[in-house]
Amino acid sequence: MKLKGIRVPHKKHTAQMPPVRIPVPKTVTIPMAMHIGRPAKPIVKRGDEVKVGQLIAEADGYISAPVHSSVSGKVQKIDEMMTAMGAKVACVVIETDGLQTVSETVAPPDVHDLKSFIDAVRQSGSVGLGGAGFPTFVKFSFNNDEKAVDTVVINAAECEPYITSDTRTLLDRTDDVFSGIALLKKYLNVKRYIIGIEGNKPEAIAKAQAVASQTEGVEVHVLPPMYPQGGEKVLVYNTTGRLIPQGGLPLDVHVVVLNVTTLAFIAKYVETGMPLVEKCLTVDGSAVKEPKNVIAPIGASIADVLESAGGFKSEPAKVLYGGPMMGIAVPDLTAPILKNTNAIIAMDEREAQPPKTTACINCGACLTHCPLRLDPRAIAKAYKKGEAEDLKTLCVDLCMECGCCSYVCPAKRHLVQTNKLAKAVLRNYQAQQKAKEGAK
Amino acid sequence: MSQMISAVSPHFHHPRTTRSIMLDVIIALVPAMIASVLIFGLRSLMVIADCVAVCMLSEWVFEKLCKKENTLGDLSAVVTGIILALNLPVGVPLWQAALGSVIAIVVIKQLFGGIGQNFANPAATARIILMTAFSSSLTNWAVPQPFNFMPDATTGATPLALMTKGETESLPSYLDMFLGNTGGCLGETCALALILGGVYLLIRGVITWHTPVAFLGTVAVMSLVCGQDVLAQLLSGGLMIAAFFMATDYSSSPATKWGKIIFGVGCGLITILIRFWGNFPEGVSFSLLLMNILTPYIEKLTRKKPLIGEVDN
């Protein structure tokens, strides 16, 4: 049995398009928080000359990631800015010189054992490129003498509509992907590797299978062409048959999940020493004139990227970081490309208009389509009444916010949005319970 | 640059809406409506028009008075009107049909909060109330006169009444029962038209197979066990229209897979109990109403366990 989900229009218009590099923008704005964890601490100041690949901010604490300059030029300012996620964060703004001079510090790292490998991954600034942006090296920091991990699942599901950047990684950078696997084999002492690809990418599947058949320990797993196959819980279950427990991590079922582009990047970094300074992303959506895949320096504005895709067919009414199912709407086009941005989707007025919400008709579509078998209808009722105990019974904390429920709802109710709020209610309630118990 | 739309994900939605679902149900009811006109004449159309118009009017007036948003556009009032009309005999006085419509919309649907909130099926409950209040005109079954659009008002017994009385030798043929050439309510006699509509709803994904299969299956098995004529039981009374169009009503039946099966089995059992041992020849409406009341409990019992531990089917 496989965990399913919903059929969404794939809209993979750009699957056949190898990425093209965009022209060097005039300025880049590089936020210090492009990962989960503490923001990085800037080590450059106004007026400093910087080069491509130069460290401009250090990781702050364990769960954090360093940040490097994606361009050569001069630091114009370091400023607090509001991100699309709604948090204020320091950003390094660099005026480019257009030369893209590579920093002298860029040199292949010395990798000879597990420790030096993890160190290198840490220095590379690598974060989960599939979306969440979790610092990659943390995932490798387990003790495998105790058989903590026996399988690495490589996430190439790419289940969001429009996005094809991971597909391009598999097609254009197949060698990087497999040298990445070779590195993990060598240093992590894990024998089994599963590449999970959604069935709607026959070319990528064929290419991966061809190489995998000659590589020991690598399997290609074709997933049903349904959203959200790339969701961690769904992916791990559908590839290994193991269910990540409530509130747990893949590590709890002896699995590490790695996005395919992250893996390709790590291989490239070990080979060249060029840190994470640019990103392949899909530019598409109903308002985009020439949908395509591009490679953009991190910190380039969305406007720069959209311009390279021929600008607009019609006035964009909504622009997203990421795909239409889980993407985040940006306030304006000056927002920068982040490490974990895998697509920019610009929607025209018609595509962007949120549908009208009507009364729940109790059809049950939300609960039959939830991949994790939650009951969003009951959760919404419990949330409205403020019943935290009910929310606990309904396991709202399990919700991965994939949005299947909202997508299928004929009344267009804000179900996943309510789930998010309900999760916060439950968290508060559980914190209070804990505090009460502590007081006893 | 104009103001950008800021909204939380998802930014894509399935094209299906409440209105499109209701439109599908109306389309699925078209064969039954055509059959009713062919079998019982043009007065069928008058009863349908009467019920639909009064349902829509009472929804509009109620929402106007309560300063609620007008929901005529979702077409659910039209569906209620058609289903109620199809559950009435052709000779029903129009004012009684209108009263039933008001009861269905105002008392059973709107007073409980409108669409999705009613615990009971509006059409089934309205029919029960009319039956209790005006039992003579509600059990005055016209003799079918196919393709005679202005039939004379002769009346006769329904197949169920004949079976209850034990006069099985005067039962119409299976073919007549399948095509609807028997006495009964407007839309309940023609099994062919109802099955066509039901299949359409299944294909469109508006309903699932669980309720109709469980409902019809239970009636078939129980008839067999009780030594009754299985086909005659399946093809007579309001069974077909109830199994496909009324027991599948979203708001008054369970949303879970097993819930639908239990609901269908329950409806089948109660229908059989009333048909074989009750005072009424027909028990479909009562079975619906009784199972409607149990719906919240059935749903609670059959809710799927969230994926926290073992994965089972």
Side-chain angles (χ1 to χ4, degrees), chain A residues 410-431:
Chain A
K412 312 300 166 205
R413 300 194 65 76
H414 298 155
L415 295 168
V416 67
Q417 297 86 335
T418 308
N419 281 4
K420 290 181 196 179
L421 297 170
K423 277 163 89 173
V425 169
L426 181 59
R427 263 200 307 274
N428 280 341
Y429 173 75
Q430 282 172 332

Side-chain angles (χ1 to χ4, degrees), chain A residues 284-428:
Chain A
D284 203 341
S286 49
V288 174
K289 208 180 242 166
E290 302 160 18
K292 59 169 71 159
N293 284 308
V294 301
I295 296 173
I298 284 158
S301 73
I302 288 176
D304 292 329
V305 170
L306 284 169
E307 202 175 309
S308 77
F312 298 116
K313 204 155 54 182
S314 55
E315 187 84 348
K318 181 153 79 180
V319 176
L320 309 175
Y321 273 134
M325 291 306 293
M326 288 187 80
I328 296 164
V330 299
D332 60 66
L333 299 184
T334 60
I337 302 302
L338 311 175
K339 283 179 179 176
N340 57 353
T341 306
N342 48 14
I344 296 295
I345 306 298
M347 296 179 162
D348 63 17
E349 187 69 34
R350 212 179 57 86
E351 195 182 14
Q353 225 29 267
K356 190 175 173 299
T357 299
T358 53
C360 171
I361 56 170
N362 200 41
C363 66
C366 51
L367 59 124
T368 47
H369 288 94
C370 176
L372 301 180
R373 301 185 185 167
L374 299 172
D375 185 347
R377 188 189 46 154
I379 290 170
K381 270 188 201 151
Y383 170 75
K384 208 171 162 191
K385 287 193 214 148
E387 297 283 358
E389 270 302 325
D390 287 356
L391 291 175
K392 197 166 139 196
T393 328
L394 292 164
C395 299
V396 65
D397 49 335
L398 212 60
C399 173
M400 55 182 172
E401 304 174 9
C402 65
C404 288
C405 48
S406 293
Y407 178 83
V408 294
C409 180
K412 312 300 166 205
R413 300 194 65 76
H414 298 155
L415 295 168
V416 67
Q417 297 86 335
T418 308
N419 281 4
K420 290 181 196 179
L421 297 170
K423 277 163 89 173
V425 169
L426 181 59
R427 263 200 307 274
N428 280 341

